[in-house]
Amino acid sequence: VGNTTTDGHTTYTIKVTSPDGDTWNIHKRYREVLELHEELRLRHENLPRMPAKRFWGNQDPAFIASRQQGLQEYLDGVLRIEREVQTPSLREFLGGPSPHGERNQARQYQQILDTMQNKLLNLALPPAPLDETEMAQRLKKYGQAMRLHVLSQPVDPIHLRAPAFDAEPVQFCPSNGEQLESLKSPAGGAGGQDAQVLGELLDGLQQVLQPEEPIADPSRLI
């Protein structure tokens, strides 16, 4: 089916087709075909004519094309004689499909493409609508995942910065701040003064709970 010439030597590409329909290519030089011819002469007397050898001008394109045609006719004639390919040298010369010929290889490629198309998601197509049963199953699944992986986890302090939960507490106004400090200060005296101290504490607590003036500055409330 073709030929290539490298460093003054011509290699012929020969396409072989098996009885099963498998095809493959072999690459042979004229010398290799001549060696095969010598082996076949030991088994067959009526071999086809082998293209003649030429020492000068064997790189001429016209001669190469003519020799290629002659080699093709020779091999066709040999295979008509040995339809079952019994001679070991001929079997080795022809080789075999790797692994199962071009036809099987193309079939394998097609199977791979079909498998990939079945598994890949086609984003060009609109999503299929979900029925109520599948929707309920997905909601249940997502709810379980939320409870397991989100709601059960501790809150990272960094997430408290956005709503200002980690900010300083709201400050009291000066007057109420002094009353609160007086409540936190230790009581003086002992014994009979407990009732007086307790009364003062209750009065102070009443002022804190129900102040005449607002505890916090309204302008600083969140």
Side-chain angles (χ1 to χ4, degrees), residues 1-12:
V1 295
N3 59 81
T4 56
T5 301
T6 304
D7 297 332
H9 300 289
T10 302
T11 301
Y12 299 91

Side-chain angles (χ1 to χ4, degrees), residues 11 69-70 95 107 164 168 178 190:
T11 301
Q69 180 65 29
R107 188 185 304 114
E168 294 294 332
E178 294 175 357

Side-chain angles (χ1 to χ4, degrees), residues 48-98:
R49 179 177 176 273
M50 180 71 182
K53 194 171 184 179
R54 186 173 180 179
F55 294 97
W56 308 101
N58 54 9
Q59 299 301 311
D60 180 65
F63 171 75
I64 293 176
S66 176
R67 171 177 279 183
Q68 178 175 327
Q69 180 65 29
L71 292 175
Q72 181 68 52
E73 294 175 357
Y74 171 78
L75 293 175
D76 289 343
V78 169
L79 292 177
R80 282 193 295 267
I81 297 174
E82 283 202 20
R83 295 184 181 274
E84 301 297 331
V85 188
Q86 301 294 331
T87 306
S89 57
L90 177 60
R91 186 182 302 111
E92 181 181 358
F93 180 89
L94 297 176
S98 176

Side-chain angles (χ1 to χ4, degrees), residues 40-199:
L40 293 176
R41 287 178 58 186
L42 301 177
R43 296 175 59 97
H44 304 285
E45 297 180 356
N46 56 342
L47 288 175
R49 179 177 176 273
M50 180 71 182
K53 194 171 184 179
R54 186 173 180 179
F55 294 97
W56 308 101
N58 54 9
Q59 299 301 311
D60 180 65
F63 171 75
I64 293 176
S66 176
R67 171 177 279 183
Q68 178 175 327
Q69 180 65 29
L71 292 175
Q72 181 68 52
E73 294 175 357
Y74 171 78
L75 293 175
D76 289 343
V78 169
L79 292 177
R80 282 193 295 267
I81 297 174
E82 283 202 20
R83 295 184 181 274
E84 301 297 331
V85 188
Q86 301 294 331
T87 306
S89 57
L90 177 60
R91 186 182 302 111
E92 181 181 358
F93 180 89
L94 297 176
S98 176
H100 299 295
E102 296 177 358
R103 187 181 62 178
N104 292 344
Q105 189 176 29
R107 188 185 304 114
Q108 292 177 357
Y109 288 159
Q110 188 61 41
Q111 291 176 353
I112 295 174
L113 291 176
D114 294 340
T115 303
M116 293 179 62
Q117 290 178 355
N118 293 333
K119 292 184 177 180
L120 293 178
L121 177 63
N122 189 353
L123 299 178
L125 298 178
L130 301 177
D131 55 19
E132 296 181 359
T133 302
E134 187 173 359
M135 179 68 72
Q137 292 177 352
R138 293 197 179 190
L139 290 176
K140 181 179 179 181
K141 178 180 178 181
Y142 297 155
Q144 293 175 348
M146 285 289 294
R147 288 191 295 271
L148 180 62
H149 301 289
V150 179
L151 301 180
S152 62
Q153 302 299 321
V155 179
D156 192 335
I158 194 173
H159 299 304
L160 301 176
R161 295 180 181 178
F165 290 152
D166 63 339
E168 294 294 332
V170 179
Q171 301 295 326
F172 291 107
C173 60
S175 60
N176 290 334
E178 294 175 357
Q179 295 180 11
L180 181 61
E181 292 298 327
S182 65
L183 291 176
K184 295 192 297 181
S185 62
Q193 296 182 352
D194 290 346
Q196 180 181 357
V197 172
L198 182 58

